Amino acid sequence: MTAGTRIRSVEVLISSPSRNFVTLRITTEDGVTGLGDATLNGRELSVASYLRDHVAPLLIGTDAHRIEDTWQLLYRGAYWRRGPVTMTAIAAVDVALWDIKAKRAGMPLYQLLGGASREGVLVYGHASGRDLAALHDSVRTLTSAGFQAIRIQAAVPGITTVYGVSKVSTGRSSYEPAGRGALAVESGWDTDRYLRFVPEMFASVREEFGAELPLLHDGHHRMTPIQAARLGKDLEPYRPFWLEDCTPAENQEALRLVRQHTTTPLAIGEVMNTVWDFQTLIREQLIDYVRASVAHTGGITGLRRIFDYAALYGVRSGSHGATDISPVGMAAALHLDLAINNFGIQEYMQHDPLVAEVFHSAYTFEGGYLHPGDEPGIGVSYDDDAAARFAYEPAYLPVARRVDGTMHDW
């Protein structure tokens, strides 16, 4: 064991600069620190407790360099494996240890992962609007800012609240679904209206912006397999970059039916947590992009396993990067994006400016690409004084009901 590499302290840090984040900070005996993102949107305190009460005691005194062994300890040693709480906790530890290792090596993390495979990481931005004209304005704002790929979401006529539609149509997206309060907000849903509207939305954007701009869309698990197959087929003339989360993730075999009926590329996985969750989807080539996040799949170690497995079948990465991923999680994703060969695209939803007061990040955006920077480690520091100004506030993701009151996938 290298002198001073034993873990001295493990801190669980909770702050709420515009939204709730849980951050893990690990410090070695010689004072080197590492950060990990432990945020699980709408269930943040469950991971905080898991880390503080069950994981931290196991780490004190262990060697921070033994990343793989620690990962296996936390995964196999718990007996109760997988699941979002467990894998988010493991992810936080894993990224913090990689941060420490890269700092000790004096190089950015991507160098320890094999070095850069590209000059930058292509990202997509989020455009939305209360109507199609407002959506066009939002797309125009993002392309003017340099984005080269755009996710499009718009309000569906006849549905009061629609997933992914920002409060504003231009400028920085203000869409944050987790509402502050003691209870979840309920919204209505009508899949038939949605299925009629989305092809119209794509046709409108294509007419305004042409055929070259990559367009993405998120179905957010709201379709049955045959509905997803129909939408994928209806969208083929507009050549989407991908259709994301078209059906609920639990039923992986549903994608067989969707694949039979459409050539629209499919992206799945932001609610999945291990390589086992992706096994059928990747082996049978039922998806084109893995939509998992570093923060929810066991960290750099866990997500790299998924990406390496996906590479065997021509499936590419498309990491989750909405605002429920803190700058720590985003930075970790960018280092992995830069290193792997089968990179596809990275989601980039810009945080509220308050977030930058707590998390100081080295990654930069230019011309539609992000780069993690060349600071040793992952390139993110945590400001305790700033974080103290933003106390945790209960927040829950919405729930959706059909017109007749039946609970539906949100």
Side-chain angles (χ1 to χ4, degrees), residues 153-190:
Q153 313 283 134
V156 178
I159 302 179
T160 304
T161 304
V162 177
Y163 167 80
V165 177
S166 175
K167 297 175 184 175
V168 295
S169 296
T170 59
R172 184 185 298 272
S173 175
S174 64
Y175 177 68
E176 173 48 60
R180 304 297 178 104
L183 297 173
V185 174
E186 291 191 359
S187 59
W189 183 247
D190 186 327

Side-chain angles (χ1 to χ4, degrees), residues 226-302:
I226 199 65
Q227 289 171 338
R230 183 197 314 164
L231 180 60
K233 193 166 188 175
D234 288 346
L235 292 180
E236 285 178 9
Y238 312 110
R239 299 182 69 84
F241 186 96
W242 76 36
L243 174 62
E244 178 184 348
D245 288 339
C246 55
T247 59
E250 295 92 333
N251 182 10
Q252 298 186 19
E253 295 179 356
L255 275 298
R256 293 174 182 159
L257 187 149
V258 180
R259 274 293 208 216
Q260 291 172 6
H261 294 284
T262 182
T263 57
T264 293
L266 303 176
I268 298 285
E270 72 180 54
V271 298
M272 295 179 175
N273 308 118
T274 70
V275 69
W276 303 105
D277 298 325
F278 285 95
Q279 188 175 19
T280 298
L281 296 177
I282 292 172
R283 187 183 64 244
E284 297 188 18
Q285 300 174 72
L286 301 178
I287 61 174
D288 301 280
Y289 296 91
V290 170
R291 277 285 293 134
S293 76
V294 169
H296 302 141
T297 54
I300 295 290
T301 300

